[in-house]
Amino acid sequence: MHKTVQLVRSLYTFFVLIGSLALLTRVGGDPRAQTLNITCGNQMEHNTTIFVPNFVATMEKISEQMRDSGFGTAVTGSGPDANHGLAQCYGDLSLLDCVLCYAEARTVLPQCYPHNGGRIFLDGCFMRSENYTFFEEYTGPDDRAVCGNTSRKGSNFQDSARQAVNHAVAAALEKEGYAKAQVAVPGTNESAYVLVNCWRTLNKSSCKACLENASASILGCLPWSEGRALNTGCFVRYSDTNFLNKEPGNGISKGTIIIIVVSVVSSLVVLAIGVAIGVYIRKHRYIQKKRRGSNDAEKLVKLLHDSNLNFKYSTLERATGSFNDVNKLGQGGFGTVYKGILPDGREIAVKRLFFNNRHRAADFYNEVNIISSVEHKNLVRLLGCSCAGPESLLVYEFLPNKSLDRFIFDPSRGKVLNWEKRYEVIIGTVEGLVYLHENSRNKIIHRDIKASNILLDSRLRAKIADFGLARAFQEDQSHISTAIAGTLGYMAPEYLAHGQLTEKVDVYSFGVLLLEIVTGKQNNRSKAAEYSDSLVTIAFYAR
Ligand SMILES: *[C@@H]1O[C@H](CO)[C@@H](O)[C@H](O)[C@H]1NC(C)=O
Ligand SMILES: *[C@@H]1O[C@H](CO)[C@@H](O)[C@H](O)[C@H]1NC(C)=O
Ligand SMILES: *[C@@H]1O[C@H](CO)[C@@H](O)[C@H](O)[C@H]1NC(C)=O
Ligand SMILES: *[C@@H]1O[C@H](CO)[C@@H](O)[C@H](O)[C@H]1NC(C)=O
Ligand SMILES: *[C@@H]1O[C@H](CO)[C@@H](O)[C@H](O)[C@H]1NC(C)=O
Ligand SMILES: *[C@@H]1O[C@H](CO)[C@@H](O)[C@H](O)[C@H]1NC(C)=O
Ligand SMILES: *[C@@H]1O[C@H](CO)[C@@H](O)[C@H](O)[C@H]1NC(C)=O
């Protein structure tokens, strides 16, 4: 009974929230948050204790600027582990879409760690981080064009594309380094669409040099239907498909539109929450714990060291074949997971954290240990950690069937998961979530509920993975709003717009997951969905 009521509540909240997302999607346009390329530098960080906080702080500072202007630079620290960061959204993105694109960029870029630099090109924005000032660089050995794969040979498209590129480059040099263009293909109802954009840190002559190089290199893509130049100082793209967002123009500033969108969204959200609260009687208040001092963390590390939950680094290294790629199970937001076999034959999953900050790992361990000691049947069990070694490793039970996404999005494996089993997976996930939200000692908001974080045991029962991580990795608990974690497509609109964190964030993601389990389709993943509506939007209109 309890289960069903909970499920209905979740669904209800979800569908009310869908309304706001659909609205947001339509007014806000397309964030084009697909990653085109990520290139990591070839130098390593020196000292993790200095590097990681600098990196995180830079991303935070930039985050605030992105919300205001779609562009940001920041420098944190000095010396070899200083962090210089730059991010920019392309000119046709609304600020709201910019926040979305940046949220994706900052989630993916940490993959470069422990390299001390890297750059990521998405279809809607760019981000780069280094240990030196690179803001004025506009050319480099990694500059390249990425071409599409549909040939437009023998059509007038090529001429139109050339014209559009030249036109846009000229226009961008007149303005602030950004322009878009559309040139009709004679005799058809088609057009060539172009976007050119320099980073705002470049002066005019550098921008010119960058755009000239970039446009020359993408025109080399013709006769293909698409070309994108990923240059050190600029981005240029042409396409036969209209990928451009309509800009909020005609006297209304971007800021105004954002305020309208955000206020409409927030009134809907307030309404939703108001209604939901009537149904959803909160039993436990969220008690914000004070941040533990580093002395406590040190003690904890010592305490752990002596407990049977402590694994030796060398044991885990051996168990995973020195983190051999063949043992790699997957890549998550916080680290890479490897399969391992302990000397006694037990199979385990070892998570190697991207950011191995001892204190935070210990902090995390303490929190999760409280939970795992109760051993809820729908939560992946944490067996221990290696928190004191050269890097932080977490040890989980190994689940042979891996994750739910392998089943529901795969036509043949999907058959194994019949309706009855799917129902059980849904109920199991709900029970695990309720447990996280309502356990009296330490409420945990998961923040990254998605198909790949639901693992299946040998009898295909759901177990939630990765809980507690987002919270433990929060640099500063009082600035939750700026540190958006999560996966695009699953994130609740009020969380994206305001960084407002309540357990409803998980309920929303759960709703998206539910749609995916029922339809077998992924919400808004990948390029295939680039120009079509997301599952959530479709569900909204189908109500
Ligand atoms: C890293 O930096 C911290 C803070 O300055 C320092 O205490 C620590 O000894 C350094 N570690 C290494 C390995 O240099
Ligand atoms: C950046 O890091 C590399 C490798 O750690 C180091 O050799 C270089 O001196 C650093 N650059 C600066 C400007 O400190
Ligand atoms: C523009 O910036 C580049 C790179 O920093 C510099 O070499 C060049 O002198 C600058 N040009 C002008 C006109 O300021
Ligand atoms: C990204 O670009 C670099 C060259 O700049 C290339 O070596 C690398 O393979 C590309 N990565 C992906 C994932 O396309
Ligand atoms: C073009 O690329 C897309 C995605 O990268 C792929 O799905 C498609 O099969 C490719 N088409 C051709 C003709 O190679
Ligand atoms: C014009 O566009 C429509 C769809 O928008 C398409 O069905 C039609 O074939 C196009 N006509 C020509 C001549 O390309
Ligand atoms: C653009 O610049 C890169 C790096 O300097 C160079 O290798 C490439 O040949 C240039 N491309 C064109 C079309 O000028």
Side-chain angles (χ1 to χ4, degrees), residues 219-235:
L219 288 178
C221 282
L222 287 169
W224 300 114
S225 61
E226 286 270 356
R228 293 173 175 96
L230 316 183
N231 277 27
T232 306
C234 58
F235 175 80

Side-chain angles (χ1 to χ4, degrees), residues 248-254 256:
N250 303 338
I252 306 175
S253 73
K254 282 186 178 181
T256 319

Side-chain angles (χ1 to χ4, degrees), residues 289 292 363-371 442 468 471-472:
K289 280 199 328 187
R292 243 172 254 112
D363 228 11
F364 159 75
Y365 182 84
N366 190 38
E367 262 177 26
V368 173
N369 189 34
I370 293 169
I371 301 237
N442 204 345
R471 166 136 169 231

Side-chain angles (χ1 to χ4, degrees), residues 456-503:
L456 299 176
D457 72 4
S458 56
R459 288 167 53 191
L460 298 174
R461 285 174 306 198
K463 284 175 180 257
I464 300 175
D466 255 10
F467 50 89
L469 279 175
R471 166 136 169 231
F473 279 75
Q474 197 74 62
E475 255 294 286
D476 177 357
Q477 305 256 344
S478 63
H479 282 82
I480 275 172
S481 57
T482 47
I484 289 180
T487 301
L488 214 65
Y490 288 91
M491 283 192 279
E494 80 279 13
Y495 182 43
L496 285 170
H498 305 301
Q500 196 178 63
L501 185 65
T502 69
E503 68 271 34

